Amino acid sequence: MIKLFNPGDCLILVVDDVKMNLQVMANILDKEGYEVTLVSSGYQALERVYSAKPDLILLDLMMPDIDGLEVCEKIKSDPTINDIPIIFISASQEQSHLLQAFEKGAVDYVTKPFNTAELLARVKMHLELKYSRQKLAKLLEEQVALVQELERLANTDSLTGIWNRRHLFIIGTQEFNRSQRYNLSFSVLLIDIDHFKKINDTYGHNIGDEVIIFMTKIVNNNLRQPDCFGRFGGEEFVILLPETDADEGFIVAERIRNSIQNQYLEVADQKVSITISIGISSYCLGDKNIDAIIQRADQALYQAKNQGRNQVITQLAS
């Protein structure tokens, strides 16, 4: 069996108002290698729990200031410490005390005089259970993180970190359906980096990648939180603008185009400037799907490139 914990790494808080009882339990636990901290009252127990954060508590039921049941209840009501297992140690054999202990959140109940081997077995069992739960929780957290990372990798462009073509269509379809259902405005911007092949031929593909990353950052800085930006393929990109009509989309597109043409990327001792062409289209009542809007935006982009590039063209539905 795999050892789940090392006794020397476990701190056990022992609470008993009789000093002899404290010493007896301390000696027993110390021989097994456990770290031990001792207190003789309920109030001291609550203070020690917060300061020492023990791994397990051996708690006397009957104490003069506040009894063990009240101490247990206070600990279990605090989410920052309520995962600490509590074993009651008591001379009481009353069934009602046993039931109350479990109702307050105790994991076990040992009557005095106790059998040393039995006490140690119960301590070990509940520590193993605690560490098993912690290990399981950690594994579940790691699994959730792994699933999220796999989803991110499946939905994003590896170079830029923005959405990829597949995910753009998923979001675009959702926004299309929302616009159709509630009769909302919705615009699509299709962006192309002008003369990108020339950039690759002149500076190499590594610099071409840097140009794409450079452009991506500028675009992101000019978008709102609800907007969606992704790479359509190569040097083509798509921006989805929810609740945005064609005129508002044109303003966004012009802001992006101007920002890009007025900045440059430093490559060695050279400054590389780029421009972009943008085609715009917006949702119309007759559209059947997101493809119809993207196709019109593509036609607008084609016009922008044919008319000299570095400009924004809007294509309305016929």
Side-chain angles (χ1 to χ4, degrees), residues 36-267:
V36 182
T37 181
L38 309 173
V39 295
S40 58
S41 75
Y43 288 118
Q44 289 177 352
L46 292 172
E47 291 177 2
R48 193 66 54 85
V49 168
Y50 284 104
S51 63
K53 296 293 193 299
D55 297 287
L56 182 140
I57 302 170
L58 294 176
L59 181 60
D60 188 21
L61 180 67
M62 302 297 185
M63 291 184 291
D65 49 1
I66 58 172
D67 65 21
L69 292 173
E70 189 174 349
V71 172
C72 182
E73 185 175 31
K74 288 181 180 296
I75 291 172
K76 293 303 174 181
S77 66
D78 187 337
T80 65
I81 55 174
N82 65 7
D83 64 335
I84 302 173
I86 297 174
I87 300 176
F88 273 101
I89 309 290
S90 176
S92 173
Q93 308 241 356
E94 289 186 28
Q95 188 74 12
S96 61
H97 288 159
L98 177 65
L99 292 174
Q100 283 181 297
F102 286 116
E103 286 172 0
K104 298 298 183 183
V107 296
D108 215 334
Y109 191 102
V110 177
T111 55
K112 300 175 185 177
F114 55 77
N115 178 280
T116 299
E118 180 187 354
L119 176 66
L120 290 174
R122 294 191 185 210
V123 166
K124 181 181 178 183
M125 177 184 69
H126 289 296
L127 284 171
E128 285 181 343
L129 286 172
K130 179 188 177 185
Y131 279 86
S132 293
R133 287 194 297 269
Q134 290 176 341
K135 187 175 181 181
L136 179 59
K138 185 177 179 181
L139 288 172
L140 290 173
E141 286 178 6
E142 290 173 352
Q143 185 179 46
V144 169
L146 178 60
V147 170
Q148 290 174 340
E149 178 63 11
L150 290 173
E151 287 179 352
R152 186 191 69 79
L153 292 172
N155 295 332
T156 57
D157 173 60
S158 59
L159 177 65
T160 61
I162 60 177
W163 299 124
N164 59 22
R165 185 187 184 102
R166 169 185 167 276
H167 198 64
L168 276 171
F169 271 108
I170 293 174
I171 298 176
T173 299
Q174 291 171 349
E175 288 299 332
F176 175 86
N177 292 337
R178 196 166 71 93
S179 297
Q180 193 176 52
R181 186 178 301 115
Y182 301 110
N183 194 26
L184 298 171
S185 300
F186 170 45
S187 292
V188 173
L189 275 57
L190 191 57
I191 301 173
D192 184 84
I193 300 176
D194 297 330
H195 303 295
F196 187 69
K197 184 178 183 302
K198 184 178 179 181
I199 293 171
N200 277 334
D201 292 343
T202 304
Y203 301 104
H205 289 278
N206 288 339
I207 300 305
D209 287 347
E210 291 298 321
V211 166
I212 287 175
I213 294 170
F214 165 74
M215 188 220 69
T216 299
K217 290 179 179 177
I218 296 175
V219 173
N220 270 324
N221 289 335
N222 284 277
L223 296 178
R224 305 166 303 176
Q225 191 276 330
D227 301 333
C228 176
F229 178 39
R231 190 175 182 185
F232 212 50
E235 67 271 25
E236 279 195 341
F237 299 81
V238 167
I239 299 174
L240 307 175
L241 301 174
E243 300 184 34
T244 305
D245 62 26
D247 290 338
E248 293 167 333
F250 186 88
I251 293 171
V252 174
E254 271 295 303
R255 183 170 68 239
I256 291 170
R257 187 191 64 79
N258 275 313
S259 294
I260 288 173
Q261 77 168 357
N262 290 326
Q263 298 185 54
Y264 59 84
L265 176 69
E266 291 190 6
V267 179

